[in-house]
Amino acid sequence: MKNALEYDEQNIFAKILRGDIPCGKIYEDEHALAFPDIRPQAPVHILVIPKGKYISAADFNARAPAEALTGFYRAVSEVARQAGVEQNGYRLICNTGPDSHQEVPHFHVHILAGGKLGRMLGPPL
Ligand code: AMP
């Protein structure tokens, strides 16, 4: 990641939002865009990103207007509903910052579902 305070216009999700590269869009509204993760970690693995330029959850939660926050988090639930995973359940993951292994410096939420996910994704430190 670049300087955490500086949004990288060349990050892969910025390119997807600009339409520079395809993403296989599965949901879009004024606040959010959702598409399958290119390296799925579960039978259902969807990424939901806000349309604004926010580096991380911390950045989004601190700077986004209330309407963008509400719209985005409602979109996450709507994507899960439309994906048909609401009844059996799903896991939301939001990696934030270097210790979390956040790779793409545009805020995103992972929706993981489609089978028993286990209690944790990795071994404890
Ligand atoms: P994170 O580690 O939380 O930053 O997650 C970034 C995710 O973006 C990873 O799970 C990648 O597989 C995924 N990813 C990277 N490039 C693309 C892409 N072009 N389309 C879809 N998913 C991508």
Side-chain angles (χ1 to χ4, degrees):
M1 284 173 61
K2 292 176 72 174
N3 178 341
L5 299 176
E6 184 187 343
Y7 183 80
D8 176 8
E9 298 281 354
Q10 298 309 315
N11 81 72
I12 196 84
F13 295 168
K15 291 179 180 175
I16 285 172
L17 279 169
R18 286 197 296 269
D20 294 348
I21 59 171
C23 69
K25 175 175 74 180
I26 55 179
Y27 177 88
E28 182 173 20
D29 65 22
E30 67 179 299
H31 298 293
L33 176 69
F35 48 89
D37 195 292
I38 206 167
R39 292 188 296 273
Q41 305 291 313
V44 175
H45 187 170
I46 300 168
L47 298 171
V48 190
I49 69 175
K51 292 203 164 168
K53 297 175 182 177
Y54 301 102
I55 295 168
S56 65
D59 186 29
F60 183 64
N61 293 345
R63 290 200 302 112
E67 191 183 346
L69 286 161
T70 307
F72 175 76
Y73 287 108
R74 290 219 167 107
V76 171
S77 294
E78 179 61 14
V79 171
R81 193 189 67 76
Q82 290 188 14
V85 299
E86 207 169 39
Q87 187 170 352
N88 283 348
Y90 54 91
R91 179 173 291 161
L92 301 181
I93 292 180
C94 173
N95 295 319
T96 305
D99 273 3
S100 74
H101 283 271
Q102 181 180 359
E103 291 174 12
V104 180
H106 180 109
F107 171 50
H108 51 280
V109 169
H110 300 252
I111 299 175
L112 295 147
K116 295 290 183 194
L117 298 172
R119 293 181 68 83
M120 296 284 177
L121 284 183
L125 293 174

